[in-house]
Amino acid sequence: MHIVDGALAPEVLIGGGVLAVAGLSLGLRKLPIDKIPATGVLSATFFVASLIHVPVGPSSVHLIMSGLAGLVLGWTAFPALFVGLLLQAVFFGFGGLTVLGVNTVNIAFPAVLAGLLFRGMVSRSSPVTAAVLGGCAGAFSIALTTVFVAISLALSGDAFVPAAKLVFFAHIPIMVVEGLVSAASVYLIAKVKPALLQAADQTSGFEMQATATLRAKQAGEASNG
């Protein structure tokens, strides 16, 4: 998934950088205080999962767990995955600094789309159904990231078209594995802390309703007393 330095055309790098800045700005604005620990954990999960990778042409094959990040974080997946990519580029030379914007968009935007498409269904489902949907979200995110990587390479010259096709087909087994790991993770979250799978505004609504109910109860007890 990491495209290396020097592989992309300048216009692709500039476009990816602009989109990455926009995604980061939106993600930071939408970051609720209660999701900061989860953001750190999922950023670390991405960092560790993608350390084990197999180079494929100008890219690489590895797990990224972006679908799970999108389900839990929504737009906040942008800063979470950006931090992981930045640390990998600085400390291990994965990807590179000039392609950081493109790599961020290629990985984070599919994560956001997976969250937008599947989070509502996941949050309303039983743990088993949520796990199936979570697995679909994980595979979907990998598939879309692969398409984005292929497009980025293809836009940089006809010489990269064969590599773009190779990247897509090489990731088909990863889609299956990522789907299974995401399904297991979502099942555990749905059992232990289902609130993590709810949107920030949905969680706030539940909290406001619970607060109103508690205040009404307290008022009733005071009047009876």
Side-chain angles (χ1 to χ4, degrees), residues 144-165:
L144 193 56
T145 291
T146 304
V147 171
F148 279 17
V149 170
I151 292 174
S152 300
L153 293 172
L155 289 175
S156 297
D158 294 338
F160 289 106
V161 172
K165 295 179 180 178

Side-chain angles (χ1 to χ4, degrees), residues 53-79:
H53 68 288
V54 178
V56 176
S59 183
S60 57
V61 176
H62 53 75
L63 295 174
I64 54 177
M65 302 306 296
S66 57
L68 181 63
L71 286 175
V72 175
L73 302 177
W75 279 100
T76 307
F78 254 95

Side-chain angles (χ1 to χ4, degrees), residues 26-160:
L26 186 57
L28 290 173
R29 285 202 301 268
K30 289 181 174 289
L31 175 60
I33 298 297
D34 60 330
K35 284 289 180 75
I36 290 179
T39 302
V41 169
L42 287 168
S43 181
T45 300
F46 162 77
F47 179 84
V48 173
S50 56
L51 283 179
I52 304 174
H53 68 288
V54 178
V56 176
S59 183
S60 57
V61 176
H62 53 75
L63 295 174
I64 54 177
M65 302 306 296
S66 57
L68 181 63
L71 286 175
V72 175
L73 302 177
W75 279 100
T76 307
F78 254 95
L81 297 174
F82 169 80
V83 170
L85 285 167
L86 176 62
L87 293 177
Q88 288 180 344
V90 171
F91 292 110
F92 299 101
F94 293 172
L97 295 179
T98 63
V99 292
L100 185 58
V102 175
N103 283 334
T104 299
V105 172
N106 288 346
I107 293 176
F109 190 56
V112 172
L113 289 180
L116 293 175
L117 288 174
F118 291 96
R119 181 195 280 177
M121 295 183 288
V122 168
S123 64
R124 296 190 298 267
S125 301
S126 66
V128 174
T129 304
V132 173
L133 292 169
C136 292
F140 168 82
S141 183
I142 285 282
L144 193 56
T145 291
T146 304
V147 171
F148 279 17
V149 170
I151 292 174
S152 300
L153 293 172
L155 289 175
S156 297
D158 294 338
F160 289 106

